[in-house]
Amino acid sequence: MTAPAREFTHDGIAFGCDYNPEQWSPDVWDEDIALMGEAGVDLVALNIFGWSHLEPRPGEYDFARLDDVIDRLHRAGIRVNLGTATASPPAWLTRRHPEILPMAADGTRRFPGGRQAYCPSSPVFRDAALKLVAAVAERYGSHPAVALWHVSNELGCHNALCYCDESARAFREWLQARYGTLDALNQAWGTAFWSQTYGEWGEILPPRATLSAANPGQALDFHRFSSDQLLDYYRAEVEVIRPRSAVPITTNFMVTAHIENLDYWTWAGDMDIVANDHYLDNRLGDPTTELAFAADLTRGLSRGEPWLLMEHSTGAVNWQPLNLAKEPGELLRNSLTHVARGADGVCFFQWRASVQGSEKFHSAMLPHAGTDSALWREVIGLGATLDRLDEVAGSRVVADVAMVFSWESWWTANTESRPSQSISYLDQVHAAYDALHAHGCAIDIVRPGADLSAYSLVVVPGLHLVSEADAATITDWIHAGGTALITFNSGIVDEQDSVYTGGYTGPFRDALGLHIEEFAPVVPGVEVSLSDGTSGRLWSERSRATTAEVVATFVDGPSAGLPALTRNTFGTGAAWYTATLPTRDAYRGLLSRIAREAGVRAVAETEGDPASLELVRRRHDDGTTYLFVVNHGADAAEVTARGRELITDEGVAGVLVVPGGAVRVVKETTGDVAGIHREEVAE
Ligand code: GLA
């Protein structure tokens, strides 16, 4: 943390967008601002890619247009989330200083012409960028329209891993600070293997493309270094802004399925408010459940405090192989899923659809078709709905289930030489989350080592890398009476990516009561049968129970006859373990059973299958609660609730009917909240 946090305050739920007026002429700005008023937009991110406009030549600033746009927005009562304009260096900078261009692992430079064409470790880039930040902060730091600073944009989206000589130099410095001596580094990276021992610091390089598999310890530290470098860059911008402005500062995270390079657990404490960009990834089997997971993880980063959804899309994106349009109503469902899970702001990329540039086929709030479009009407509808939900702002989600998530496990579990390329860390995380979500449980996503005392159930999917200390926070909690599910590929390596020996799961071994000898991955597409009638996929292990009760064995496959599902009484708690990836239904059944054992309740009682619903409750400190129900299904759902539904403004006297595809938010009648819980989670 570089300075005490400043609070971002807003009247109700913020509704906004990225706005790129530089792509349009001033007469369009007036129309834009009028339409923003019609939609209820009240927070606009500006100047994200402004560098070449603000500083057309080195040291020569031109703020005329930005002054004008900010003033127009201010006159319309719209607040500004002001970009520092450093997201993409101008052509004059990369021409004068081609050494700032990032280098890929194969040693080739990346040319300008896209965006983020800079090495995060480049002092030349930093110097030029910070001069601009100083000028922008000086000029707008006290402007009454500016409500939030937006540092750069999605730091590390394209350039997180740079392999140039400047990065090599910075990497060595980082390693010297971490290890002190070359002996310690050689030990940590296991360089005795393949004659990799370093005799001088100058021999160390980033993990550039090699002929064979690279050193995984080096790759892990390069990930850590790269994440730290960008955080350091964020801090450098913040240090320039703080003395010039009292406005809170943040940057937009990318908590999403396809970006893995930043360890946001180490970043989050620096943000005055956590902000996230999320796009549905239709390459995933279940994009909306991933959305729920990402929103819960963002809330975890925010330590439960409300956060901002800084970007998502009204419809299709432009960067997937197939860019699906949203179904009618999906925009509202997506947006309110974020709000249900703690967002106090819903913003989009972008306001008006571009007609030029590589994002011209990306959806926007105001589409190419203009206001005579279903999409625009949905945008207007969303704005009106958010207005009705203003009173929810500031409330928090209360969860009794925690799931442990780790970027370091993501990086290391997906190492290039591993037992099976057919399963990744996120596959395990998403599968476990889906199983909990299907029961309507409220789930907090926490970092390894987090205090677990508030939870009834902890799920630890594939926590490949874990320190002894962080594992102890989990096993001590179990010992003291907690119930946990730990899944395969957990506790495999320590902080140095060195394997724990003596039977896999290392620091979880005693809690699990298992001696695991060998991984035996399952061929993709083949299901293994378990003795309890369920099936598993992709993984099995050869193990024996030491103290655990074997709940199910593998009936066939490479580990036939051996434990597949176990439960160990540990202290006064219970540690469950699955040695395979259960099929979706099996996983839901398993977590239903474990949740029931742990006394975990669904957020609300429903008629039928809660799997197609989002059920989340937000609570104000004064005890006022809001039950969010998002119905992804085609059929109406019935949920037990009492109070006033805020979107339809109707009373709810016991049963809330949520039409297929609709969203409802009930301000619950005080005193009845406990009564609407089921005593037990659904079967
Ligand atoms: C990111 C960026 C935006 C835009 C969108 C498109 O979120 O921050 O500038 O490129 O992706 O989806």
Side-chain angles (χ1 to χ4, degrees):
M1 183 89 59
T2 49
R6 299 158 178 192
E7 206 185 337
F8 172 73
T9 51
H10 193 81
D11 192 11
I13 307 268
F15 185 43
C17 50
D18 275 25
Y19 182 37
N20 296 302
E22 56 275 11
Q23 297 177 17
W24 305 95
S25 59
D27 52 313
V28 179
W29 304 345
D30 286 334
E31 188 194 9
D32 283 335
I33 292 170
L35 289 173
M36 286 175 186
E38 201 178 304
V41 163
D42 55 18
L43 183 68
V44 159
L46 213 56
N47 197 37
I48 308 291
F49 296 101
W51 197 338
S52 69
H53 304 275
L54 293 188
E55 193 181 3
R57 281 162 294 281
E60 219 178 273
Y61 297 112
D62 178 0
F63 292 109
R65 175 169 34 200
L66 189 56
D67 287 353
D68 189 356
V69 175
I70 293 183
D71 288 344
R72 287 180 200 225
L73 287 165
H74 185 51
R75 282 197 298 274
I78 297 173
R79 308 177 85 202
V80 172
N81 170 20
L82 190 60
T84 53
T86 55
S88 211
W92 57 256
L93 182 58
T94 48
R95 180 162 184 236
R96 285 185 162 208
H97 293 286
E99 72 275 18
I100 75 167
L101 291 169
M103 184 179 277
D106 65 0
T108 56
R109 289 273 181 193
R110 288 297 176 256
F111 290 100
R115 65 177 174 185
Q116 268 187 0
Y118 65 89
C119 160
S121 300
S122 165
V124 175
F125 172 79
R126 188 179 284 209
D127 184 55
L130 296 185
K131 282 188 180 129
L132 175 68
V133 175
V136 174
E138 201 71 57
R139 191 164 189 95
Y140 303 109
S142 309
H143 194 292
V146 178
L148 187 61
W149 284 102
H150 183 298
V151 167
S152 190
N153 187 61
E154 293 193 339
L155 284 161
C157 178
H158 310 283
N159 63 348
L161 306 179
C162 175
Y163 298 80
C164 74
D165 287 344
E166 195 57 57
S167 299
R169 185 198 56 74
F171 185 36
R172 283 180 212 117
E173 265 181 25
W174 184 94
L175 290 166
Q176 274 171 316
R178 183 176 176 90
Y179 293 109
T181 67
L182 266 183
D183 279 351
L185 177 138
N186 279 313
Q187 177 70 32
W189 287 8
T191 55
F193 177 82
W194 279 359
S195 183
Q196 291 171 349
T197 307
Y198 294 102
E200 288 181 28
W201 289 100
E203 294 163 0
I204 299 170
L205 295 171
R208 291 180 181 155
T210 56
L211 291 171
S212 62
N215 181 311
Q218 178 191 17
L220 170 60
D221 272 341
F222 191 63
H223 266 296
R224 289 174 171 143
F225 155 78
S226 301
S227 177
D228 285 359
Q229 281 302 93
L230 282 158
L231 174 57
D232 190 63
Y233 176 76
Y234 173 81
R235 289 176 173 163
E237 283 210 19
V238 168
E239 271 170 33
V240 172
I241 299 167
R242 290 232 190 256
R244 295 172 171 86
S245 174
V247 170
I249 310 171
T250 191
T251 190
N252 41 348
F253 288 177
M254 299 166 286
V255 175
T256 178
H258 52 275
I259 306 267
E260 67 177 65
N261 288 324
L262 292 319
D263 181 351
Y264 287 129
W265 291 127
T266 64
W267 285 54
D270 277 67
M271 305 297 128
D272 287 341
I273 181 165
V274 167
N276 194 43
D277 293 354
H278 185 273
Y279 292 92
L280 285 182
D281 192 333
N282 289 303
R283 292 164 293 194
L284 299 171
D286 187 354
T288 54
T289 304
E290 190 279 331
L291 184 161
F293 166 74
D296 281 346
L297 174 51
T298 307
R299 189 181 70 253
L301 290 165
S302 187
R303 286 161 298 190
E305 296 294 331
W307 50 278
L308 289 179
L309 178 64
M310 196 72 100
E311 289 180 27
H312 69 153
S313 68
T314 57
V317 297
N318 65 309
W319 43 262
Q320 291 173 22
L322 173 64
N323 296 299
L324 298 180
K326 291 193 180 180
E327 298 290 329
E330 194 176 354
L331 173 57
L332 181 71
R333 293 195 293 280
N334 292 169
S335 300
L336 292 201
T337 301
H338 286 291
V339 175
R341 295 177 190 279
D344 271 4
V346 173
C347 305
F348 292 89
F349 176 84
Q350 60 178 336
W351 165 252
R352 182 185 280 270
S354 300
V355 291
Q356 291 181 301
S358 65
E359 293 182 327
K360 64 180 181 291
F361 296 125
H362 194 291
S363 61
M365 295 175 87
L366 183 58
H368 290 148
T371 52
D372 184 12
S373 59
L375 199 148
W376 173 254
R377 288 186 282 276
E378 290 215 23
V379 166
I380 296 278
L382 173 62
T385 301
L386 292 176
D387 274 351
R388 290 178 172 276
L389 300 181
D390 273 344
E391 63 176 83
V392 172
S395 59
R396 296 167 60 108
V397 175
V398 182
D400 51 3
V401 180
M403 177 184 284
V404 180
F405 181 83
S406 149
W407 271 275
E408 293 197 337
S409 281
W410 189 349
W411 300 335
T412 51
N414 289 5
T415 188
E416 59 185 319
S417 302
R418 60 186 199 258
S420 171
Q421 299 279 346
S422 297
I423 179 149
S424 72
Y425 176 64
L426 276 196
D427 294 336
Q428 282 226 59
V429 168
H430 288 161
Y433 184 87
D434 168 80
L436 287 167
H437 179 267
H439 294 296
C441 303
I443 309 156
D444 278 348
I445 313 291
V446 301
R447 66 186 300 166
D451 176 12
L452 301 172
S453 53
Y455 302 105
S456 305
L457 171 64
V458 172
V459 177
V460 185
L463 192 64
H464 184 80
L465 181 152
V466 67
S467 67
E468 301 225 17
D470 287 349
T473 60
I474 298 170
T475 53
D476 289 351
W477 175 84
I478 299 170
H479 199 268
T483 300
L485 169 68
I486 298 175
T487 81
F488 68 86
N489 212 10
S490 292
I492 307 303
V493 299
D494 65 14
E495 311 91 292
Q496 299 188 343
D497 200 29
S498 185
V499 173
Y500 287 111
T501 56
Y504 292 125
T505 74
F508 295 124
R509 191 168 45 222
D510 291 344
L512 295 173
L514 276 176
H515 182 72
I516 302 172
E517 297 174 22
E518 192 177 5
F519 304 134
V522 174
V523 174
V526 172
E527 285 192 359
V528 284
S529 307
L530 272 53
S531 59
D532 62 0
T534 65
S535 303
R537 296 173 292 141
L538 297 173
W539 197 269
S540 79
E541 290 169 345
R542 295 176 175 155
S543 72
R544 75 184 144 76
T546 50
T547 56
E549 171 200 347
V550 179
V551 179
T553 53
F554 290 103
V555 172
D556 50 27
S559 305
L562 300 175
L565 177 65
T566 56
R567 182 189 181 281
N568 191 44
T569 301
F570 186 62
T572 51
W576 287 78
Y577 182 76
T578 174
T580 186
L581 185 68
T583 58
R584 191 187 220 196
D585 286 347
Y587 217 152
R588 289 177 176 184
L590 173 63
L591 269 168
S592 170
R593 174 176 178 178
I594 299 174
R596 198 166 51 244
E597 174 181 313
V600 170
R601 301 157 156 187
V603 169
E605 189 170 338
T606 56
E607 193 60 50
D609 179 15
S612 61
L613 301 178
E614 311 276 344
L615 295 169
V616 192
R617 180 170 286 110
R618 289 184 62 160
R619 185 188 303 266
H620 276 301
D621 286 346
D622 69 2
T624 310
T625 59
Y626 303 90
L627 175 65
F628 282 73
V629 185
V630 179
N631 186 356
H632 294 291
D635 300 328
E638 290 187 4
V639 178
T640 307
R642 231 175 277 282
R644 186 129 211 110
E645 204 289 315
L646 297 178
I647 298 175
T648 57
D649 197 24
E650 284 170 3
V652 182
V655 178
L656 170 73
V657 178
V658 186
V663 185
R664 295 289 180 262
V665 183
V666 179
K667 180 178 187 177
E668 294 173 303
T669 308
T670 317
D672 283 355
V673 173
I676 66 170
H677 275 127
R678 281 182 292 187
E679 284 314 305
E680 290 184 335
V681 79
E683 293 293 329

